[in-house]
Amino acid sequence: MISSHRAGVAGVAGLAVLSILAAACGSGGSGSSGSALTNSAPGITPTTITIGSHQPLTGIAAPGYSEIAPAANAYFQYLNAHGGIYGRKIVYKYLNDQYNPALTSTVVHQLVLQDNVYAIFNGLGTPTHLAVAPFLNSDHVPDVFVASGCECWNSTASLPDTFGWQLDYVREGKILGAYIEQHFKNKKIGFFFQGDEFGQDGVKGLSYEIPKKQIVAEKSYDPTNINIGPQVDALKAAGAQVVVSFTVPAFTALLKLNMLGLKYSPQLVVSDVGSDPITLAGLLAAFAKNKTAGFGNSLTQGIVTDGYLPSLGQASNSWIALFTKIHDQYIPKLPLDGNVLYGMSVGYAFVQAMFKAGKNPTRADLVNAINAGLPQGASVAPYAYSSSDHNGITGAYIATISNGALVPNTGVWVTDDSATGAITAYTAAQPAAPASGIPSP
Amino acid sequence: MVHVPTLARHLAVAIVAAAIILLASIVIGDYRDYQLAQVAPSVVAVAGLTVLIGLSGQISIGNGAFMAVGGYTSALLFGHLQWPLVAILIGATCVAALTGAIFGVAAARLRGPYLAGATLMLAVALPSIATRFASVLGGDQGLGFFASVPGFLGPTFSLQRWQAWFSCGVALLVLVLLANLVRSQVGRNWRAVRDDEVAAALAGLNVARLQILAFIVSSACAGAGGMLLALVTGTVSPSLFTLGLSIQLLTAAVLGGLGSLAGAIWGSALLVFAPTYLQNVAVSNGLSTSSSPSIPIVAYGVVLIVVMLVFPSGIQGGVSRLARMTGVDGMLSRLGFAPSSLGAATVASSIVRRRHGPGAAGPGAVQPAEQQRAEGH
Amino acid sequence: MVEFLEFTLGGISAGLIYAAIALSLVLIWRGTRVLNYAQGAMAMLTSYIALLVINGTGSYWLGFAVALAAGLVIGAVVERIVVRQVTDKPPLNAVIVSIGLLIGIEGLAGVLFGGNNKSFPPAYSITGLSVGKVALGITRNDIFTAVAVLAAAGLLAVLFRYTSVGLRLRATAFNVNVARLLGVRVGRMLTLGWALAGLLGALAGMLVSPSTFLSPNSMDAIFVLGFTAAVIGGLESPVGAVAGGLILGVVLSYAGGYLGSEVVNLFGLAALLLVLMLRPSGLFSSAPTRRV
């Protein structure tokens, strides 16, 4: 509301003056550095920070993705139990938009105009979030760590308060493409990809790296149509020896099943989005009851993929240990899979940003904190954040699925979104998780 | 009883309603303004659909596709040509009407479930044109349509209030036009065709032309609704115009009261507000969104069934029954408001029975309409 | 040429699934003159029940039988309790009630079983069969699907044409009051119609769920295509349902294979409109006559 903006600013100014006076008159009894916690912004009270999100909790996009927000919330609950953010607890209000942009608009307007959240965190989906990003930016609501790999969140001119987080699809395509170009020279390559910006951006990245003469087929699929037989037939007819697939897990599994039906076994290279070994094994579990050779975990054996978070198979990794502990305590009913890892990792990033924003942050403080750069969290590669770049994670390692877990077989590669940008090795070791599990302020 | 001309009567009601909405929008705050703006696209589209089904007896589960045509036309006109909003509205309506005409000609011979099936497939297939021509139509990401407040209202005018004014204004205009159409010769001809196609043809009516005209009117309304939906949502994409949208429009039309424009308002309000209301109720009763997000979904399905069982003639049918019981409608008819728009639902529903499907009506409802009237409807 | 053969076979096996849904819709339409939008959702629910039994007892066929029985029961219960309230009301009321059922059943499945995809076992092996070195592109499971659907269609046709129960079902749909006067227990026929349709839907669910993975919304898209197949074939005839399914399956397969996945639905629409423009009541229907 326009009038309440003005009232809000006046209120903040008044409270700021009061708090300076209070500090000057001697610190209070708390052990902190003395300034009192105030209502420094909408959604911030002395005891809570309220943030909102829109998520597909039911409907066609729900499988898998509906776990992300509960996982982030589990990390926030862990944080709240261990001191919160300067003593404030995070209240995470995520509402169901059923992957329908009209509902996304409804719930986000409710969160901002009625529930007065401080920021929108990890809004999921590209067409859905595009419906609300302009509104959020026009009202200067921080729109942080969108759950989508679209390059569109990096638009500092038109969407200055919006930030991506995950490795975007073009970068991912380039990293996978470079690996294929090196390790599958002279082989025929086929693409199988979802017919939306996820698949198309991935193919764009792949095409930057893989020589044109090697690409023999490019087949897209529509996620509402499970009959992908024609596309797999076409890939086989073209003789593709390596199939690169930008698919969601259900369609990776379908691809594998169709290939079995056709007795076609090319090397599969799958995007991180669709290669979570635990999800895939779950989808293929029922087929193991048949006596045909090689199902379940064996069916995922040898799939090449990439990863920008540590592998769940590395139990000794400090991040995996931390997140496993939090999962077992707060969300034991959910499977500990890639979606849960994603949710907790992005939750950690938000907490890092909030600590950087200061003790009594305004909305602008959060945006400025991220613009100044965030230290690496659970990801294997650094963030790109700066005032001119709102992309998040910049790189990934290549891995092979073996016995149901990702086994890295290269180091980390980082790159950018451009057609000619180089793919370079990133050799710095991943920083360990803090012992307390909470980033230091 | 003074005979007030139809147009004047409808305009008077519209002006009063506009004044009420104007005053309310200033008082109720930005979030409620937004909710007001959200109902209007539904009202426009459902009004057109309820005329199509209730008056001309053709069932369509595909009006979401025409909304898509209107929405995408609007986004393209906005993005490439930067037309003013009113021009965009007219453009979207015309293109959608043209699409409706083409489909209406193709489907002119279809009746009942076959028309339903054709429109269903239209609703599923048409949005996929956007993915086929992704370079122009934006593909899965869609196109933006973020119109800001016009300059003459001043720099601090609330965006949500502007959205409410524009979309409610368009909705009132469409309702007035439709109300006049319903009471005109064309409306009477439609009802004649709906009641008994052969008799109407024998009486000299051009059945096919009337059916196509009804399709054009309903698709034009859907196109206008699509433009408003795009305006309020800020974007158009295939995931906005799924089959679910078309089914929602049908549900709103029937639940509100077939053939009744007031019913379009009830039905749209139910459809736009019930899902989020139910979700908020669930959350505030401690059913957090993680324990089961599907509980509000079950509740919504139950609500639909219960409303349909309790109000067999739609909500408007229930309202008019209430009006009859309390004598309000007698008072209104003395003021010059014939009860036809209130009672249209009951008459329409008893007659629509006969139009549905070739060869036979539903079990237990085979008697011709005369018998229903004799039974005192 | 091999590609063409593979597309055709793939289209036939997909089309038979659409035919299974189409058969259940034809049954309900012929018996009760209602379009049941919840048909797919009911099939999804019976598939979940089957999965519970299969995972609990380890036997696929027990789960299969339980699914069919559950389909019978759920269909009968829905008719008795919900649809019966709207049978003497305007026909669109029944459609809205079925839409409410669709939403409610999907929500119920979400509450009971969660929203994630569940793996669903096929009846037989899904490894491709081959003649010598040439992979045929079909599997044992595909053959079972074809046999099951064709058997169901055949049994349905026999039921309608040659049995007195079928005659009574058709009479109820044609003219309820005359049927009642002739001694047909109309209420029982309505319930039987929905029960049998529930059984057919359950069969479709069992056959298709391995490919869609089971989730509350997994039957939505299949239902739309099954409905389209029913309309293409004409809602009056089981043979039409199978024919409609096969035509649709094959057309969609060629469109997807030769042209790309974005145009599949458009070709479905084109096929449907083409058929309906030539024969407005579907392929296998006779033109209705009316005394004026």
Side-chain angles (χ1 to χ4, degrees):
Chain A
M1 297 185 234
I2 308 301
S3 50
S4 71
H5 269 186
R6 296 215 183 106
V9 168
V12 168
L15 284 168
V17 168
L18 279 175
S19 58
I20 291 171
L21 285 174
C25 295
S27 51
S30 77
S32 61
S33 60
S35 57
L37 296 178
T38 64
N39 299 344
S40 53
I44 305 231
T45 72
T47 50
T48 58
I49 301 171
T50 307
I51 55 175
S53 184
H54 62 86
Q55 301 283 325
L57 299 176
T58 64
I60 46 168
Y65 294 147
S66 56
E67 296 170 16
I68 293 178
N73 199 27
Y75 182 75
F76 294 149
Q77 287 176 295
Y78 175 80
L79 166 85
N80 292 343
H82 292 84
I85 304 221
Y86 302 121
R88 290 187 176 103
K89 295 194 197 299
I90 295 185
V91 174
Y92 183 24
K93 200 167 176 193
Y94 53 95
L95 296 179
N96 186 9
D97 70 353
Q98 300 180 39
Y99 210 74
N100 177 349
L103 276 178
T104 312
S105 195
T106 306
V107 302
V108 168
H109 275 81
Q110 180 187 328
L111 288 166
V112 171
L113 295 176
Q114 195 178 51
D115 301 334
N116 289 311
V117 297
Y118 173 63
I120 295 293
F121 162 72
N122 205 226
L124 198 147
T126 308
T128 45
H129 198 76
L130 281 172
V132 294
F135 162 63
L136 291 173
N137 277 271
S138 78
D139 268 20
H140 302 295
V141 178
D143 176 23
V144 299
F145 310 145
V146 181
S148 138
C150 178
E151 303 174 89
C152 33
W153 316 123
N154 181 19
S155 313
T156 44
S158 51
L159 300 175
D161 295 312
T162 299
F163 296 87
W165 179 77
Q166 67 192 71
L167 180 71
D168 67 81
Y169 305 130
V170 177
R171 274 187 165 92
E172 189 183 7
K174 283 177 66 177
I175 293 176
L176 284 173
Y179 181 83
I180 292 171
E181 192 272 330
Q182 270 186 348
H183 289 81
F184 296 103
K185 284 202 195 299
N186 301 321
K187 293 260 202 268
K188 296 189 186 171
I189 318 282
F191 295 158
F192 181 61
F193 58 102
Q194 189 154 302
D196 63 4
E197 125 279 345
F198 155 51
Q200 286 158 355
D201 277 359
V203 166
K204 192 156 78 159
L206 289 169
S207 311
Y208 289 158
E209 298 301 318
I210 300 179
K212 284 228 177 334
K213 59 177 170 49
Q214 277 185 269
I215 304 171
V216 296
E218 296 189 33
K219 288 288 164 193
S220 72
Y221 71 89
D222 170 1
T224 59
N225 182 0
I226 51 108
N227 188 17
I228 58 169
Q231 288 94 318
V232 186
D233 286 338
L235 284 166
K236 182 179 175 202
Q241 296 156 297
V242 177
V243 170
V244 190
S245 118
F246 267 79
T247 48
V248 291
F251 282 84
T252 315
L254 278 178
L255 178 66
K256 197 70 195 189
L257 292 174
N258 270 275
M259 292 203 283
L260 275 176
L262 285 175
K263 294 200 144 172
Y264 169 49
S265 11
Q267 167 67 48
L268 261 189
V269 178
V270 182
S271 151
D272 167 82
V273 172
S275 70
D276 178 43
I278 295 169
T279 309
L280 285 179
L283 289 170
L284 297 165
F287 300 89
K289 300 220 164 52
N290 289 287
K291 300 300 180 277
T292 333
F295 277 85
N297 269 339
S298 341
L299 206 56
T300 60
Q301 194 81 3
I303 291 179
V304 171
T305 181
D306 64 287
Y308 54 85
L309 298 171
S311 160
L312 280 165
Q314 297 169 313
S316 56
N317 180 292
S318 56
W319 295 98
I320 301 297
L322 169 67
F323 292 150
T324 307
K325 186 175 80 174
I326 297 178
H327 163 268
D328 294 344
Q329 187 179 356
Y330 291 96
I331 45 171
K333 291 222 184 75
L334 294 181
L336 180 58
D337 62 11
N339 295 303
V340 166
L341 182 61
Y342 179 103
M344 293 200 193
S345 304
V346 69
Y348 184 88
F350 180 73
V351 171
Q352 282 181 300
M354 283 307 298
F355 272 121
K356 271 194 77 180
K359 265 237 173 73
N360 286 306
T362 61
R363 281 173 164 166
D365 284 338
L366 179 60
V367 173
N368 293 334
I370 306 176
N371 275 335
L374 274 189
Q376 207 174 319
S379 60
V380 302
Y383 294 119
Y385 297 128
S386 74
S387 46
S388 57
D389 191 340
H390 285 188
N391 272 323
I393 299 173
T394 51
Y397 56 87
I398 304 289
T400 308
I401 300 182
S402 178
N403 293 327
L406 292 181
V407 176
N409 52 10
T410 68
V412 177
W413 303 93
V414 293
T415 183
D416 65 4
D417 282 336
S418 69
T420 49
I423 300 164
T424 51
Y426 180 76
T427 48
Q430 184 189 33
S436 63
I438 317 274
S440 44
Chain B
M1 182 180 102
V2 177
H3 176 67
V4 184
T6 310
L7 178 61
R9 205 164 58 225
H10 290 154
L11 277 177
V13 172
I15 289 173
V16 169
I20 296 177
I21 292 175
L22 200 78
L23 288 171
S25 71
I26 297 176
V27 175
I28 56 181
D30 275 353
Y31 179 57
R32 300 291 177 208
D33 278 344
Y34 183 74
Q35 289 187 306
L36 207 57
Q38 271 203 304
V39 184
S42 257
V43 168
V44 172
V46 172
L49 185 64
T50 203
V51 164
L52 179 73
I53 302 180
L55 250 62
S56 84
Q58 303 178 85
I59 176 170
S60 165
I61 321 173
N63 273 31
F66 300 122
M67 286 186 87
V69 170
Y72 269 92
T73 308
S74 310
L76 287 171
L77 289 175
F78 181 76
H80 293 286
L81 298 177
Q82 287 94 38
W83 281 8
L85 280 186
V86 174
I88 291 180
L89 177 69
I90 296 175
T93 309
C94 291
V95 174
L98 185 64
T99 317
I102 296 173
F103 187 80
V105 168
R109 288 205 291 160
L110 303 182
R111 299 287 179 267
Y114 303 97
L115 182 60
T119 51
L120 183 101
M121 203 56 205
L122 180 72
V124 170
L126 207 64
S128 61
I129 292 181
T131 19
R132 177 68 188 85
F133 297 102
S135 48
V136 177
L137 296 177
D140 196 68
Q141 258 176 287
L143 301 170
F145 184 21
F146 194 63
S148 43
V149 180
F152 68 83
L153 286 169
T156 57
F157 198 86
S158 146
L159 176 67
Q160 284 78 37
R161 194 182 309 156
W162 161 243
Q163 288 171 333
W165 283 11
F166 188 83
S167 44
C168 290
V170 171
L172 282 173
L173 179 67
V174 168
L175 285 174
V176 166
L177 290 173
L178 280 180
N180 287 342
L181 193 63
V182 162
R183 308 273 263 126
S184 72
Q185 182 66 44
V186 173
R188 289 192 283 275
N189 289 346
W190 278 335
R191 279 185 225 116
V193 170
R194 174 199 67 196
D195 293 351
D196 194 325
E197 202 177 308
V198 178
L202 288 174
L205 295 178
N206 188 329
V207 169
R209 196 180 298 168
L210 280 168
Q211 303 286 55
I212 294 172
L213 182 63
F215 238 94
I216 293 175
V217 167
S218 93
S219 57
C221 290
M227 181 267 175
L228 292 177
L229 183 64
L231 178 73
V232 166
T233 313
T235 178
V236 289
S237 60
S239 39
L240 190 58
F241 301 108
T242 58
L243 177 64
L245 177 65
S246 292
I247 292 183
Q248 273 190 305
L249 295 177
L250 177 72
T251 308
V254 178
L255 280 182
L258 268 186
S260 148
L261 294 175
I265 301 178
W266 309 133
S268 302
L270 181 71
L271 240 72
V272 169
F273 296 137
T276 28
Y277 173 74
L278 288 170
Q279 192 183 183
N280 286 331
V281 165
V283 168
S284 57
N285 278 334
L287 291 168
S288 76
T289 34
S290 62
S291 68
S292 191
S294 299
I295 291 179
I297 311 271
V298 180
Y300 181 62
V302 170
V303 163
L304 291 182
I305 296 177
V306 166
V307 172
M308 198 74 260
L309 293 181
V310 169
F311 295 106
S313 309
I315 298 176
Q316 181 57 28
V319 167
S320 64
R321 215 169 32 202
L322 193 66
R324 263 205 307 278
M325 289 197 306
T326 58
V328 169
D329 73 327
M331 183 170 63
L332 283 175
S333 67
R334 275 196 291 279
L335 284 172
F337 290 90
S340 64
S341 61
L342 294 175
T346 25
V347 177
S349 54
S350 67
I351 290 170
V352 149
R353 242 176 284 172
R354 289 197 64 243
R355 290 294 307 135
H356 189 74
V366 183
Q367 276 64 31
E370 297 86 74
Q371 178 128 5
Q372 302 304 324
R373 282 187 222 116
E375 282 166 5
H377 277 272
Chain C
M1 188 56 209
V2 174
E3 207 178 22
F4 178 77
L5 192 64
E6 284 176 347
F7 290 161
T8 311
L9 287 174
I12 289 177
S13 58
L16 285 169
I17 303 283
Y18 309 148
I21 297 279
L23 281 172
S24 63
L25 289 172
V26 164
L27 183 49
I28 288 195
W29 178 260
R30 269 195 104 171
T32 68
R33 282 284 178 268
V34 171
L35 290 174
N36 179 18
Y37 275 91
Q39 195 64 50
M42 285 157 62
M44 173 268 295
L45 194 63
T46 54
S47 303
Y48 268 110
I49 295 174
L51 193 62
L52 279 177
V53 171
I54 294 172
N55 287 341
T57 65
S59 159
Y60 176 83
W61 293 108
L62 184 62
F64 192 89
V66 168
L68 297 186
L72 275 173
V73 168
I74 292 178
V77 164
V78 162
E79 197 282 326
R80 233 27 190 69
I81 297 186
V82 183
V83 180
R84 187 62 65 93
Q85 314 296 328
V86 287
T87 39
D88 54 347
K89 302 284 191 310
L92 280 180
N93 288 23
V95 169
I96 300 302
V97 162
S98 73
I99 290 173
L101 274 172
L102 165 71
I103 295 173
I105 293 177
E106 286 184 350
L108 185 66
V111 171
L112 293 176
F113 305 110
N116 272 349
N117 278 325
K118 288 210 190 317
S119 193
F120 198 90
Y124 289 100
S125 151
I126 56 152
T127 318
L129 299 170
S130 39
V131 172
K133 277 251 178 83
V134 179
L136 284 178
I138 51 173
T139 69
R140 272 199 204 96
N141 199 46
D142 290 336
I143 297 179
F144 169 68
T145 302
V147 168
V149 174
L150 291 172
L155 286 171
L156 199 61
V158 163
L159 174 80
F160 273 131
R161 184 146 338 160
Y162 298 114
T163 66
S164 60
V165 172
L167 186 60
R168 286 199 287 264
L169 274 170
R170 282 189 288 146
T172 311
F174 186 70
N175 190 321
V176 150
N177 291 308
V178 173
R180 202 177 268 135
L181 288 172
L182 289 173
V184 174
R185 302 287 291 269
V186 160
R188 287 218 191 133
M189 288 302 113
L190 294 176
T191 309
L192 181 64
W194 275 73
L196 286 177
L199 184 141
L200 280 172
L203 174 69
M206 294 296 295
L207 294 174
V208 81
S209 292
S211 311
T212 60
F213 306 114
L214 191 56
S215 72
N217 295 79
S218 56
M219 294 293 288
D220 285 353
I222 303 283
F223 170 76
V224 169
L225 293 172
F227 183 60
T228 307
V231 170
I232 289 179
L235 281 166
E236 308 287 341
S237 139
V239 173
V242 175
L246 289 173
I247 291 173
L248 189 65
V250 164
V251 165
L252 295 185
S253 185
Y254 293 147
Y258 290 120
L259 295 170
S261 62
E262 318 94 21
V263 298
V264 165
N265 284 329
L266 288 166
F267 270 80
L269 176 66
L272 177 65
L273 285 178
L274 198 63
V275 167
L276 288 178
M277 287 204 284
L278 296 173
R279 292 186 64 88
S281 301
L283 282 177
F284 285 81
S285 61
S286 47
T289 55
R290 234 190 91 203
R291 288 179 62 104
V292 179

